[in-house]
Amino acid sequence: MSKAVLSPPGSIVPLLGNEAIARGAIEAGLDVAAAYPGTPSTEIGETLAEAARELGFHFEWATNEKVASEVAIGAAWSGLRAMCFMKHVGVNVAADALFTLTYAGTIGGLVVVSADDPHAHSSQNEQDNRHYAVAMGLPMLEPSTPQEAKDLVYRAFDLSERYALPFLVRSTTRISHTRAPVRLGEIRERRGKGRFKPPEPDRYVQVGAIARKHHRELLEKLTRIERELAPELAEVRGGSGDLGVITSGVAYAYVLEAARAMGLDVPILKLTMTNPLPAERIGEFLRGLQRVLIVEELDPYLEERVKAIAKDTAPDVEILGKAQGLLPRVGELNIRLVVGALSRVTGRPSPIDFSALEERAKPALELAVSRPPVMCPACPHRASGYVIRRAAGTAVYLNDIGCYALLFQRPFNLGDVTHAMGSGVGFANGISLATDQKTVALIGDSTFFHAGIPALINAVHHKRKFLLVVLDNRITAMTGHQPHPGVPVSATGEEVPALDIEKVVRGLGVEHVQVVDPFDFKAAENAVREAMKHDGVSVVIMRRECALLTVRRLRREGVKIVPYRVDPEKCTYCRVCINTYACPAFVDTGKVVEIDPTVCFGCGSCVDVCPYGAIEPMEGSLDWRGEKIGV
Amino acid sequence: MASDVSEFNVIIAGVGGQGILFSSRVITRAALDSGLNFVQSEVHGLAQRYGSIKTEIRMGRDVVSPLIMEGTLDLLVALEPIEALRYASYITERTSIVMNTHLVAPIGAYLERKRIPRVEEILEALQTLEPRRLEALNAVEVAERAGDIVVTNSVLLGAVDALGVLPFEEGALRRALEKEAPRRYLELNLRAFDMGREEILKR
């Protein structure tokens, strides 16, 4: 967290959208927040975790998004102000609780934040969670800058209490991960302790007739919100002429700049509340125009709804957008794409000849060999992948969500499937049932707790035969090192009981369980070989701390990181190190392999990979295996 | 003074782990302290793991979009040469480039036997785009002389400062570094900054 988040009211500080969301909640008097880390939402939690230590409210990294939502809901039903937040796919996990929540309503202000990831920068899909808001009956607000993100979250708490309904704030990567100056407001007092007291006896009991009654009430609330609130959460910005633009979220920023670049002064309707939509306001806007371009990322959510509204209010207005292919449904938007759409609609030329720029750039771009993310130097998952590849051989490999998902890449090829949290173990159930193929599922420690356990129970109960490798790096690494139930510290630094994965697995009835250090190639390979022979579900836990944590700790302790080197006399340029271990520190000079000292963390795990013993420590290099560093 | 700038666009590009987010924070800190509006976008999560990384920083009165439009780039800072190439379509005669010459080849390229460009080729390709200025330096080597290669990014910030293109007053960037650097590494960072600056000024 940047220290700026807790600066005094009135100061203008540079905040990431996610930090601004956290600050908004803090200003609103947040009592309880819970979440499961997921890009692009994680920094909300990082910020709250640090602020909670100072201000005394509660924040926790929960086991998964459903549990996190239930923690927040329980607190809000007890009259406190609560928030849960998650990445877009996290809402899938929380959905079961959230759908019924809108029937139940809330007493304390309750805000749900969904951070969507158009472009799937760090995600398995590009799902557009605006549809959830409609399906769940959740009022939805969409900020278009970090400042708005803070202000809307703050306001959402009050609105939630006013309508006794949770409010959804939908962010996207380019809001959550955009830093901009934000003016801070006063921090309201917290309530502290709550008391669970339903407003009516059956308020939180959703069965049959009661649920139908609550469903009716929800629809009435949404009608009220559309009438009372939605119109003021929409704004028209200047402009003249018969062409208008309707937009929301970060797309608004692209529209403003695209219009400026083209010298266009179009009227823009910016929608801040996108469920329920202010139908009358939209109708008024449409009536003054002949054509309207809808600019939004992903699905034609606004476009289709505006068309429906236009049918009743302004049937002659032409609604343009994705249907005409003016803007893409895949990937995120930017100024250039909006310039392109405006240019096609108005017939005005683009201010910049993009194709000429691209043509000119071609030779340079052709040289730019691609660089997808890879596992870090010293990453224990690389060692695990190396060991599994050698010991388990040909098999169906069901990977999961985490840094180790990268093991699908060459040279490991351990990922026939990467799908959703915990799905690897679930699919192993199905594939081992349907085929006679060897089946290996891989799952990380945090993902295991999140969603791996029910599928493992199913496998034990149904006598399945497959190997589950738990890649236990003692942290939720991919999102930036958040603790999980297997770690003895809470988000806010409190000492808490850590659940031992080995005991959990044994407790579930798995009989063949081994724990190994993946840097100990021999022991780890033996463990995999033995486990593959077991007639039933077997589990191998490959346990070694995330290398980034190890390196950080060593640096903190003042230990200098000294890389390893390759003895050019001994190197035969067989490339076995590159072809089987693929550490990003290896450099192929065309004659020998070298180690880039700016990349190598000096773990020494690659020493045994070289058949000629050419990889060696330098003066001061550590040996993470021999010296038991990171285990 | 600075606050009347309409728009100044920066890309900082490199490989995950090279301290790009830190460098961006220093620049935005300087912007804020200079009374300049800014918007900066960055990448977190899996993409950070030794893949291509960039941040886009936009400063000035009129900026709202977190992303830069091709053809409007004012400054490209590349912590790694291959990463400089990726933004070729953004480069015009208004673009200044500062590039570290220490090449880190993507390991995947070795596995797929793809050709890795030489630094001279990269410089030539960038030169063809006729940037306003192109300065290449081995920032790793300078950082090593300053005391530790972890401050390679501060060497490049110093080099950027020497160009004098940023819309800040003299000294603003260094003061921002002073504010943002961790206390323990403050001196090391400032030394790296000064040496990077010197490296360009003596040319």
Side-chain angles (χ1 to χ4, degrees):
Chain A
M1 175 188 79
S2 79
K3 295 157 281 189
V5 172
L6 293 184
S7 302
S11 21
I12 298 175
V13 293
L15 293 189
L16 209 55
N18 280 342
E19 292 170 340
I21 288 170
R23 172 74 192 199
I26 292 168
E27 288 180 5
L30 179 75
D31 292 294
V32 170
Y36 181 82
T39 317
S41 74
T42 314
E43 300 76 17
I44 305 171
E46 304 271 38
T47 307
L48 290 176
E50 272 198 52
R53 294 183 198 207
E54 203 152 314
L55 301 177
F57 62 83
H58 178 83
F59 171 69
E60 68 185 44
W61 288 120
T63 319
N64 64 32
E65 292 86 353
K66 179 169 185 283
V67 176
S69 304
E70 287 155 350
V71 169
I73 295 166
W77 282 351
S78 305
L80 301 186
R81 293 196 149 180
M83 179 164 82
C84 56
F85 48 92
M86 54 208 87
K87 70 180 294 172
H88 59 341
V89 288
V91 178
N92 302 335
V93 179
D96 207 7
L98 296 180
F99 264 92
T100 310
L101 171 65
T102 48
Y103 285 20
T106 184
I107 297 177
L110 178 55
V111 175
V112 180
V113 177
S114 169
D116 289 14
D117 191 17
H119 219 80
H121 290 280
S122 279
S123 304
Q124 64 267 44
N125 73 29
E126 291 193 294
Q127 76 185 44
D128 187 334
N129 278 3
R130 293 177 296 176
H131 301 294
Y132 265 130
V134 178
M136 290 173 178
L138 260 181
M140 168 167 58
L141 307 174
E142 295 194 70
S144 51
T145 62
Q147 177 75 56
E148 275 185 28
K150 181 188 82 68
D151 296 344
L152 283 177
V153 167
Y154 179 89
R155 194 155 174 211
F157 278 96
D158 286 349
L159 293 173
S160 168
E161 287 181 1
R162 180 161 133 203
Y163 292 100
L165 201 59
F167 267 60
L168 173 71
V169 175
R170 176 184 180 253
S171 175
T172 53
T173 302
R174 296 300 178 187
I175 299 294
S176 282
H177 289 165
T178 285
R179 199 178 291 277
V182 174
R183 180 184 290 277
L184 305 184
E186 298 283 342
I187 294 178
R188 270 204 297 229
E189 211 170 308
R190 286 184 294 116
R191 292 176 185 158
K193 243 336 167 225
R195 187 177 158 70
F196 179 79
K197 191 173 169 295
E200 317 114 48
D202 64 4
R203 188 71 245 167
Y204 304 134
V205 184
Q206 311 306 336
V207 289
I210 310 174
R212 286 195 297 278
K213 183 179 86 162
H214 290 162
H215 189 185
R216 222 167 281 127
E217 284 175 17
L218 169 62
L219 297 176
E220 282 161 17
K221 275 187 198 175
L222 290 169
T223 309
R224 260 182 64 208
I225 290 172
E226 183 189 331
R227 201 177 55 237
E228 299 170 0
L229 190 61
E232 59 171 288
L233 286 163
E235 118 191 41
V236 177
R237 198 184 149 116
S240 56
D242 56 15
L243 169 70
V245 174
I246 298 179
T247 185
S248 70
V250 74
Y252 173 65
Y254 305 139
V255 170
L256 283 184
E257 293 218 28
R260 179 169 63 91
M262 296 185 69
L264 280 172
D265 183 27
V266 286
I268 302 165
L269 174 61
K270 176 197 177 211
L271 298 166
T272 299
M273 173 161 258
T274 47
N275 185 56
L277 283 171
E280 265 185 51
R281 227 20 247 272
I282 292 173
E284 275 164 39
F285 181 76
L286 294 175
R287 276 193 294 275
L289 302 164
Q290 281 182 6
R291 290 178 307 158
V292 170
L293 176 68
I294 315 289
V295 181
E296 62 190 317
E297 292 185 314
L298 301 175
D299 295 340
Y301 169 92
L302 293 174
E303 189 173 318
E304 284 168 4
R305 283 164 182 78
V306 168
K307 272 184 187 161
I309 293 167
K311 188 169 173 291
D312 296 331
T313 56
D316 297 331
V317 179
E318 201 183 349
I319 312 293
L320 304 165
K322 316 237 175 193
Q324 294 76 20
L326 291 165
L327 289 161
R329 281 187 65 159
V330 176
E332 61 183 0
L333 295 184
N334 53 38
I335 308 173
R336 176 182 170 173
L337 285 166
V338 180
V339 162
L342 284 171
S343 171
R344 278 174 64 187
V345 170
T346 59
R348 283 205 200 190
S350 159
I352 288 173
D353 186 347
F354 296 113
S355 40
L357 279 179
E358 262 165 20
E359 196 53 41
R360 234 173 108 245
K362 239 185 202 159
L365 291 173
E366 273 163 16
L367 286 180
V369 53
S370 73
R371 190 191 306 271
V374 294
M375 290 170 291
C376 305
C379 176
H381 297 327
R382 174 175 299 102
S384 296
Y386 176 79
V387 161
I388 295 166
R389 187 76 263 163
R390 285 165 66 100
T394 307
V396 178
Y397 287 101
L398 303 152
N399 210 315
D400 223 293
I401 309 290
C403 291
Y404 51 91
L406 296 170
L407 284 169
F408 86 91
Q409 293 169 327
R410 289 170 69 169
F412 306 103
N413 303 319
L414 299 176
D416 295 304
V417 175
T418 295
H419 192 91
M421 294 288 285
S423 285
V425 199
F427 293 144
N429 272 270
I431 290 166
S432 64
L433 168 76
T435 73
D436 290 325
Q437 287 164 281
K438 281 199 284 180
T439 308
V440 180
L442 311 177
I443 196 167
D445 40 347
S446 193
T447 309
F448 173 78
F449 286 114
H450 178 286
I453 294 174
L456 185 57
I457 291 174
N458 194 70
V460 172
H461 181 62
H462 289 103
K463 297 195 284 187
R464 293 284 139 70
K465 177 175 164 32
F466 62 81
L467 166 63
L468 172 63
V469 182
V470 182
L471 301 158
D472 181 7
N473 63 357
R474 317 292 302 135
I475 205 78
T476 317
M478 184 166 70
T479 46
H481 305 116
Q482 293 74 31
H484 60 62
V487 176
V489 208
S490 76
T492 45
E494 241 180 289
E495 221 177 281
V496 286
L499 280 75
D500 182 343
I501 295 180
E502 184 185 355
K503 281 192 193 152
V504 171
V505 168
R506 287 192 194 280
L508 299 181
V510 179
E511 284 164 7
H512 191 96
V513 185
Q514 286 158 286
V515 184
V516 289
D517 171 11
F519 275 13
D520 186 346
F521 293 164
K522 207 174 265 173
E525 276 184 48
N526 283 338
V528 171
R529 288 211 175 87
E530 270 176 49
M532 296 291 286
K533 284 185 223 147
H534 179 73
D535 188 25
V537 180
S538 53
V539 171
V540 173
I541 300 167
M542 300 208 172
R543 182 172 294 158
R544 172 170 273 281
E545 175 183 69
C546 169
L548 295 179
L549 289 184
T550 310
V551 168
R552 247 173 247 172
R553 196 182 51 246
L554 291 172
R555 282 200 178 126
R556 224 179 15 248
E557 290 166 1
V559 179
K560 196 161 163 79
I561 303 291
V562 180
Y564 275 61
R565 68 183 286 270
V566 177
D567 181 345
E569 298 298 313
K570 290 189 191 160
C571 177
T572 65
Y573 193 51
C574 68
R575 288 176 108 245
V576 163
C577 52
I578 288 174
N579 291 334
T580 65
Y581 207 56
C583 177
F586 294 141
V587 179
D588 181 346
T589 66
K591 293 189 188 81
V592 284
V593 173
E594 289 176 355
I595 289 174
D596 183 336
T598 70
V599 181
C600 176
F601 281 152
C603 73
S605 70
C606 59
V607 166
D608 290 346
V609 172
C610 177
Y612 301 97
I615 303 176
E616 56 187 31
M618 301 208 282
E619 201 185 316
S621 300
L622 300 169
D623 175 1
W624 290 15
R625 293 174 301 170
E627 296 169 51
K628 299 273 175 224
I629 297 165
V631 282
Chain B
M1 43 124 257
S3 49
D4 62 355
V5 175
S6 160
E7 172 180 342
F8 190 91
N9 298 322
V10 185
I11 288 181
I12 306 183
V15 181
Q18 289 188 323
I20 293 161
L21 293 185
F22 174 75
S23 305
S24 311
R25 265 211 314 281
V26 174
I27 294 180
T28 54
R29 163 57 62 185
L32 194 75
D33 291 350
S34 308
L36 211 57
N37 175 45
F38 73 87
V39 193
Q40 178 227 318
S41 71
E42 52 194 57
V43 182
H44 293 252
L46 185 65
Q48 256 179 300
R49 302 283 178 247
Y50 288 80
S52 296
I53 297 276
K54 65 156 177 194
T55 60
E56 302 189 17
I57 307 171
R58 311 192 58 225
M59 297 176 272
R61 196 180 54 237
D62 294 325
V63 300
V64 271
S65 155
L67 299 176
I68 298 169
M69 181 162 68
E70 284 94 325
T72 65
L73 184 63
D74 296 293
L75 173 66
L76 172 62
V77 186
L79 282 92
E80 199 282 335
I82 298 174
E83 296 310 313
L85 292 169
R86 281 186 222 293
Y87 308 101
S89 65
Y90 287 73
I91 298 169
T92 65
E93 71 288 342
R94 77 188 249 191
T95 316
S96 303
I97 306 173
V98 173
M99 186 187 99
N100 180 14
T101 54
H102 182 87
L103 188 142
V104 179
I107 188 79
Y110 292 145
L111 289 164
E112 287 161 33
R113 294 278 188 180
K114 283 190 192 153
R115 203 177 77 81
I116 317 274
R118 285 172 298 111
V119 176
E120 302 74 54
E121 273 178 279
I122 294 174
L123 283 169
E124 215 170 284
L126 293 173
Q127 206 59 267
T128 317
L129 301 168
E130 296 170 336
R132 179 172 163 191
R133 196 161 166 191
L134 170 58
E135 293 291 351
L137 70 160
N138 188 335
V140 173
E141 190 256 325
V142 179
E144 204 158 23
R145 276 194 279 123
D148 196 323
I149 54 171
V150 298
V151 289
T152 301
N153 50 355
S154 291
V155 171
L156 286 162
L157 282 176
V160 165
D161 195 52
L163 293 189
V165 294
L166 281 169
F168 311 140
E169 263 179 31
E170 175 110 28
L173 193 62
R174 195 177 190 277
R175 281 195 297 277
L177 175 64
E178 242 179 291
K179 282 190 187 174
E180 292 293 326
R183 295 301 95 190
R184 298 179 46 202
Y185 298 113
L186 180 60
E187 259 180 63
L188 180 64
N189 273 290
L190 291 176
R191 191 158 59 238
F193 182 92
D194 293 339
M195 287 171 72
R197 196 177 137 81
E198 199 48 42
E199 196 69 27
I200 300 301
L201 289 180
K202 74 185 182 197
R203 288 182 182 178

